[in-house]
Amino acid sequence: MGFILVPVYTDDNLKEINSAKAVAGKYSVEFIDLRQPGLVNFDTDYYDPESHLNPSGARKVTDYVGEILSSRYSIPDHRSDPDYETWNSDYIRYIDYKTENLRTCRDLDVYLMLLADRHLNITMQIENPKILDDEVIKNLLENLGVAPGEIRNSTRSIRIEQGDAKVSDEVRPVDQLVAKDADLIIAVSNADEPENMADAAYFRMSGADNISYLDPDSSTYHSPAVRLDHEDE
């Protein structure tokens, strides 16, 4: 194995990168550069400009590196090996952790980033099409598997099953969910464990960029900033 350069948001450390690449070449060590176009999307796969990948970007990079490891190196498959049973238990804990993050997330952009997982089934009911005027929202929906150009002002529902997205101009009510004044209703379930259901999220537009979350327990709206401030106290 050699060096792996993860995708970076900026090239501020380009000198160091070139030096590492030169050292790898000198000693005939493989240098895998993950900055190649098309692997990650800077608009949807990062938490911040400091190059911290969000779950969407991490999944893409992990899949790519995993393919390299399985195709170029003789690494045994331990997924069914009882000595590695902790892998399965760790995965279950990860699913629980991610589900809890979905339940408590109050920011629509972050919520859509967390949904970028082919193991999730997602149903969206769009009550206010103006929410689709936001280019960031469009990019995040495309990152979930919605084909570019499919999102229109007439779009009323989106169903995504394990990465396969279907867009419709007809309202497909989310079963047993009622959200007063919500512009966007999202219900999520785990495709592998359907009983592992994240609470439905309700979002409302208020102005061009202000998206708030409807707390179903109190039927009141909270802006992400207010909610985060409250939780930090």
Side-chain angles (χ1 to χ4, degrees), residues 219-231:
S219 297
T220 57
Y221 285 95
H222 305 282
S223 70
V226 171
R227 183 68 183 186
L228 290 175
D229 289 343
H230 175 72
E231 291 178 343

Side-chain angles (χ1 to χ4, degrees), residues 126-134 153 205 208:
I126 301 164
E127 298 291 337
N128 180 5
K130 289 185 177 180
I131 201 169
L132 301 176
D133 291 338
D134 191 321
N153 288 336
M205 291 287 288

Side-chain angles (χ1 to χ4, degrees), residues 5-11 13 17 33-62 107-114 116 136 139-140 143:
L5 176 62
V6 298
V8 290
Y9 198 88
T10 66
D11 287 328
N13 55 348
I17 292 173
D33 190 345
L34 301 180
R35 297 175 301 165
Q36 56 189 284
L39 179 58
V40 295
N41 185 325
F42 289 119
D43 292 329
T44 61
D45 296 330
Y46 288 85
Y47 270 131
D48 52 52
E50 301 301 321
S51 301
H52 292 103
L53 293 167
N54 61 32
S56 170
R59 174 181 54 79
K60 294 176 183 179
V61 169
T62 300
D107 184 300
L108 180 55
D109 291 358
V110 174
Y111 195 92
L112 292 176
M113 289 177 185
L114 291 173
V136 173
N139 287 337
L140 289 167
N143 195 50

Side-chain angles (χ1 to χ4, degrees), residues 80-123:
S80 300
D81 189 333
D83 291 337
Y84 291 82
E85 179 61 28
T86 55
W87 289 3
N88 295 324
S89 58
D90 286 344
Y91 176 71
I92 292 174
R93 283 197 295 269
Y94 164 74
I95 292 297
D96 291 340
Y97 171 77
K98 186 169 184 177
T99 301
E100 184 59 25
N101 279 344
L102 283 170
R103 286 193 177 112
T104 57
C105 183
R106 300 296 184 262
D107 184 300
L108 180 55
D109 291 358
V110 174
Y111 195 92
L112 292 176
M113 289 177 185
L114 291 173
L115 292 184
D117 187 332
R118 59 179 171 270
H119 297 294
L120 296 178
N121 290 336
I122 307 159
T123 299

